[in-house]
Structures are given as C-alpha cells and as structure tokens.
Amino acid sequence: MGVSSNRVEDFSSHHETSVRMSPASAEAVMVVAMPPVEIHRVCLPPSKTTFQKLRQRLSEIFFPDDPLHRFKNQSSFTKLVLALQFFFPIFHWAPTYSLALLRSDIISGLTIASLAIPQGISYAKLANLPPIIGLYSSFVPPLIYSILGSSRHLAVGPVSIASLVMGTMLNNAVSCSADPILYLKLAFTATFFAGLFQAALGLLRLGFIIDFLSKATLVGFMAGAAVIVSLQQLKGLLGIAHFTTKMQIVPVLTSVFQQRHEWSWQTIVMGFGFLAFLLITRQISMRRPKLFWVSAAAPLTSVILSTLLVFLLKSKLHGISIIGHLPKGLNPPSSNMLYFHGSYLAVAIKTGIITGILSLTVGVSVFKVLLHVTRPNTMVLGNIPGTQIYQNPSRYREAMKVPSFLILAVESPIYFANSTYIQERILRWVREEEEQIQANNGNALKCVILDMTAVTAIDTSGIDVICELRKMLEKRSLQFVLANPAGNVMEKLHQSKILDSFGLNGLYLAVGEAVADISSLWKAQP
C-alpha cells in the first residue's frame, strides 16, 4: 500500500523510511499529490472565565481518575451506598464474603500476627518506647484497616526506619531515660501529627507527591534503611547497654567496638542461634512454596522459644537482658498524653511530618513547579477535514474526531514524576470515549493513537507505562499505536526492545499516516 511505505520500521539496528521510484514517476506523483496548500490561522484557545479555568485545572490536578464517576446518573439511595463503599470498603466486600474466604483470612491473620507481634515489640525498642506500645501497634492498625482499608494484600503496622528516625529525633531533644513521661508524650504527639498529615494527603488528593520518588530512589532508600536498622540491632544482638544514639555507620561501629567489655556471650549465642533459625526457615519456604508457613511462623516461634529458655535457665543466664513485665489488661486511652504546648511541641511536629516534606511547603514557586512537572497537559486530537492536520477540537472547532480512533497527545516528557498520572489520564480518556460512543450509538472504538510529537524525553518509568498501557488496552481489544516520537525518545524505545511488542502497525511517522494505514488494513480484512 502506498501509505505504509512511509511507516517507521525496525531494520536490525536502525529505523528508516524507504520509498523507491523513478525520477519521472516521482515528479508525476508530486504533481498529482500536491494539492493547493490551505493556510490555517493559529487560533487562541476558547475564552473561559477565571473560575472555569481554575475548576478545570484543579480537576486535572487532583482528580485525574475521576473518583466521582460512579455517582453520575444514580439515585439518591445508590449514591449513599456508593459513598459508604468509597469511605468504608468493608461495605463493598462484606456482602459477598464467604466461609472459604474466612478460612484463608484466618490463615493470613495468624501469619501476619506471627510476624507483626515480635516486629512491633522490636520496633518499639528502636523508638525507645515501652514494649507494650509495640504490642498494641501490631494489632490495632490491622483492626482499623479491615474497615477502612482498600487492599487485601497489605499488612499494616509500624515500620523499622520510621521507628528508628522517631527514636533518634526525639532522644536528641529529650532523654528517654531521664524523663520517660515527657518522651512518651512527645512520641504520642509525633504519631498524632504523622497520622494527621497522612490523612490530609489522602483527603486533599496529594498522593502525587510520592511520584517524585522514582523506583531507583525507593530501592536505594529501602536498602539503606535495611543497613541502618541492621546496625542498630547490634545493640541487642551483642547485649550492649550503652549505645550511640546516632544512625551513621561510623558512630555505630565505633560504639560497638568501644563497648566490647559489655558484650554478653550468652546474648550473642542466643541471638545468632535464633538468627540462623530464621534464615534456615526462610530458605525452606523459598525452596518449597507450600511450606510458606514455616518462615511465617518462625519469628513468633523464636519469641516463644527464647522466652521459655530464659524462664527455665534464668539462674544461669544472667547476662541476657529481658523486656520485663508487661502490664495486663487493656491499655488506657492515650489522648491525655498528647503534648500541644510547651517548648518541645515543634520537635514533636517536625518528627511527625518529616523535615524534608515539611520544607517543600506540597514555597509557592516550588508548588507551581511541582504541578507543571507532575501534571502535564494531555488532550484529545481531531482531524481538520481535507488536511493531515490534527488539533484539539476544543481549540479548533472544525477539527473532527475520527470514527473508531481515539487520538491523544501528551505535551511533556514522560518520566517517573508524571508517568502514573499520564497512565491514569489516558485510561480515563479511553473510558469516557467508550461511554460517549455507547450513548450516541457510534462506531466502536478500535484504536488508540498516542501523538508523541511534544514528548521530548522518556525514562525507564515512562517506558514501563507505555508497555503497561499497551497490555491494558490489548485486554480491552484496543490497538495501541505510537506516532512521531522524537529522536532521543525513539532511541530509548528501540534500546528497551519495547518496539518489538508493538509490531509493524504500532509505530508511525505521523498521526495522519497511522489513521490512513490502519483504516486501509481494516478495510482489507474480510
């Protein structure tokens, strides 16, 4: 076909276009194929009030997934039910709950408990808090999350690095041993502000802040956190009583070797013995997946066995420190322990919110830059009749949508800071287009074209999103096509081997060529 000859194709190591014809025929084609060029005037966007502009921009920034979509055209009672399901997901899954799920949940609950209980106690020690606090933190959050949570695959509770950071920051201001009551008040207050800040992020739809953390950053952060927490565990593993409050590797190792006289051989033997037990059970579960429960139950088993050993051999194991007595019954409410006045309030707030995130305040100039970076312009394109020009129909009224095609454009680099937003926004465009077609009894949507003319750069996160979009659209029987990627973007797409999955009809030099070629292929099909 004449049009497909200009398609961008992969020939082993490079991409090129190839058209072969004699000089005479080329001149004839030019004479026939070059109609009078119509100059189209560049138009301004349609006039809108400040309120309309603000409303549209806020909708694009905070609601790319249109969370209120399910409430449209519903009765009042249905809206009430949907609202309850939105804020309390238990109303969504509880009506379809079954005994089979209860059996699985019991196993999952016991598995999580075997991990969370010893972890909660150890994380409380990292934060210089009483062990009972860690015990409560291991089962109270999951109980609340069972009602308010939206995922079946999460174990909710304290995390090691957060406990360590809180303990270090608060201990620099107030000694946990010299004034334990004030320290406990500051810990409760810091936790309160942390929860308040996270709730505000959710209610104000500010989760896109997390998009600034690329995958590489997260992996590096988690690896660094694991190293820091492991070093801090040397205190209990060696039985050291006087340990540094700093987290850096040099002060920690210096403290370890300076306090060699405090090392306890009984603690070292028991600690490394149970560490070997945990590693062996993990290897068993990894080699035999059906025995996953062996590794899951190992932490709680270690706590029980170590408790029995210390209790039975307490007369001979003087060098092993123990948690001590845990108060019985329910812990009293801690609302009276919140610290909202005094000279240490700023320390509690800073500890709860994190200095790095607090410093971003989600300056106005910084906030504006963040919005432009994480929320790029996306738009639907239509064809101006009689031309190969594709523009935004809201800007050029003569531009018409092409039947069975959804043509989208992104005016920004696609990388880790905005890739999640772009994916959600494109999927919303597809859903809205399908709904509009269904309402108007139009031609079924068959192909989605992404015009990459204005995409000046792409990283690994952006490539992953392109690949994920192709898979998701294919599941919906929709063809996904890329048009006119820039040179460096094309190079990265080629190096990533993603173009192999798109095939010959998945990449074009221009939107017009894509529409013409794909349309002709559809007509040629029986």
Side-chain angles (χ1 to χ4, degrees):
M1 292 173 219
V3 178
S4 61
S5 62
N6 285 336
R7 188 188 313 147
V8 182
E9 298 180 350
D10 183 6
F11 294 100
S12 68
S13 64
H14 65 280
H15 296 266
E16 63 182 9
T17 58
S18 177
V19 181
R20 297 181 180 177
M21 55 183 70
S22 64
S25 60
E27 183 178 357
V29 169
M30 290 182 62
V31 173
V32 173
M34 292 293 291
V37 178
E38 181 181 356
I39 304 299
H40 294 84
R41 185 171 59 90
V42 178
C43 302
L44 293 174
S47 178
K48 293 183 179 179
T49 65
T50 303
F51 176 76
Q52 289 174 332
K53 293 179 181 178
L54 179 62
R55 180 181 178 182
Q56 180 182 2
R57 190 58 182 157
L58 290 178
S59 177
E60 292 295 319
I61 291 171
F62 297 107
F63 305 101
D65 55 344
D66 192 13
L68 301 180
H69 167 73
R70 297 184 302 166
F71 294 84
K72 296 177 181 177
N73 303 323
Q74 300 291 344
S75 63
S76 299
F77 177 76
T78 304
K79 289 181 179 180
L80 176 61
V81 174
L82 291 175
L84 289 175
Q85 293 177 351
F86 183 82
F87 290 105
F88 304 97
I90 189 173
F91 289 100
H92 178 72
W93 56 261
T96 59
Y97 201 72
S98 63
L99 291 177
L101 291 176
L102 177 61
R103 175 179 174 273
S104 300
D105 282 346
I106 291 176
I107 297 176
S108 301
L110 293 175
T111 303
I112 293 175
S114 66
L115 292 169
I117 291 176
Q119 279 184 352
I121 295 175
S122 63
Y123 291 166
K125 297 290 288 183
L126 284 176
N128 300 315
L129 294 172
I132 189 66
I133 303 298
L135 191 61
Y136 270 88
S137 67
S138 65
F139 71 87
V140 173
L143 288 177
I144 299 176
Y145 191 79
S146 64
I147 299 175
L148 301 177
S150 58
S151 174
R152 300 180 180 179
H153 311 288
L154 292 180
V156 183
V159 292
S160 56
I161 191 64
S163 303
L164 183 60
V165 169
M166 184 174 74
T168 302
M169 293 181 69
L170 293 181
N171 203 47
N172 288 335
V174 177
S175 173
C176 60
S177 56
D179 198 343
I181 301 299
L182 178 59
Y183 183 90
L184 190 59
K185 288 183 178 181
L186 294 179
F188 280 132
T189 307
T191 304
F192 170 79
F193 280 108
L196 191 66
F197 180 71
Q198 291 179 351
L201 289 180
L203 292 175
L204 298 178
R205 307 279 296 179
L206 297 178
F208 66 85
I209 293 176
I210 305 301
D211 293 341
F212 278 93
L213 300 177
S214 65
K215 185 176 181 180
T217 303
L218 291 175
V219 171
F221 175 81
M222 290 187 292
V227 173
I228 292 174
V229 172
S230 300
L231 291 174
Q232 292 294 320
Q233 295 294 339
L234 291 175
K235 174 184 178 181
L237 191 62
L238 301 177
I240 300 176
H242 301 86
F243 200 69
T244 180
T245 58
K246 298 181 180 180
M247 295 187 294
Q248 293 82 359
I249 184 172
V250 174
V252 169
L253 292 180
T254 301
S255 178
V256 167
F257 289 102
Q258 284 181 347
Q259 306 297 334
R260 289 194 302 272
H261 60 282
E262 294 186 0
W263 291 11
S264 169
W265 69 266
Q266 298 98 327
T267 302
I268 294 174
V269 171
M270 180 171 285
F272 278 98
F274 280 106
L275 179 60
F277 171 71
L278 293 173
L279 295 176
I280 291 173
T281 55
R282 183 187 179 190
Q283 289 297 321
I284 293 175
S285 297
M286 291 177 63
R287 294 183 179 182
R288 297 188 177 182
K290 292 184 178 180
L291 298 179
F292 72 94
W293 56 269
V294 174
S295 177
L300 187 58
T301 304
S302 300
V303 172
I304 296 174
L305 290 178
S306 61
T307 303
L308 290 175
L309 285 175
V310 173
F311 178 76
L312 295 175
L313 303 176
K314 58 183 178 182
S315 59
K316 300 180 180 180
L317 299 178
H318 299 289
I320 296 181
S321 59
I322 60 176
I323 292 177
H325 176 72
L326 292 178
K328 298 179 180 179
L330 294 176
N331 213 35
S334 54
S335 57
N336 61 329
M337 298 287 286
L338 295 178
Y339 185 94
F340 291 133
H341 58 83
S343 58
Y344 297 108
L345 178 60
V347 176
I349 296 176
K350 182 174 66 175
T351 304
I353 297 181
I354 303 175
T355 306
I357 296 180
L358 186 63
S359 63
L360 292 179
T361 58
V362 183
V364 177
S365 59
V366 174
F367 182 72
K368 184 177 180 180
V369 171
L370 296 184
L371 293 183
H372 284 295
V373 169
T374 62
R375 294 298 185 264
N377 289 331
T378 59
M379 66 188 71
V380 174
L381 300 182
N383 176 247
I384 298 180
T387 72
Q388 291 294 317
I389 300 175
Y390 290 81
Q391 285 291 342
N392 189 349
S394 64
R395 184 180 178 188
Y396 295 87
R397 295 184 178 180
E398 63 268 34
M400 305 292 292
K401 290 185 178 180
V402 182
S404 301
F405 286 90
L406 175 61
I407 306 171
L408 304 174
V410 177
E411 296 182 339
S412 165
I414 302 179
Y415 60 120
F416 69 89
N418 61 21
S419 57
T420 302
Y421 170 82
I422 290 176
Q423 177 177 330
E424 293 177 348
R425 194 63 186 91
I426 289 178
L427 293 176
R428 179 181 168 185
W429 282 122
V430 173
R431 189 193 68 222
E432 292 176 346
E433 182 70 14
E434 290 178 334
E435 291 175 350
Q436 185 176 0
I437 290 174
Q438 185 177 3
N440 298 328
N441 294 323
N443 294 330
L445 182 62
K446 297 181 181 180
C447 180
V448 177
I449 300 177
L450 180 61
D451 185 3
M452 303 184 71
T453 303
V455 179
T456 57
I458 193 170
D459 70 352
T460 54
S461 298
I463 293 175
D464 290 341
V465 164
I466 296 295
C467 186
E468 189 67 20
L469 280 171
R470 183 189 63 81
K471 294 178 182 178
M472 297 175 71
L473 293 176
E474 279 187 354
K475 290 182 180 179
R476 302 170 70 161
S477 300
L478 296 174
Q479 184 179 358
F480 187 44
V481 173
L482 305 180
N484 195 27
N488 61 328
V489 174
M490 185 65 189
E491 184 178 3
K492 291 185 178 180
L493 292 175
H494 174 61
Q495 291 174 350
S496 68
K497 306 298 182 182
I498 190 179
L499 296 177
D500 297 337
S501 62
F502 278 79
L504 295 178
N505 305 112
L507 182 66
Y508 289 87
L509 191 61
V511 174
E513 293 180 3
V515 172
D517 191 33
I518 294 174
S519 299
S520 63
L521 292 176
W522 290 345
K523 293 178 181 179
Q525 293 177 354

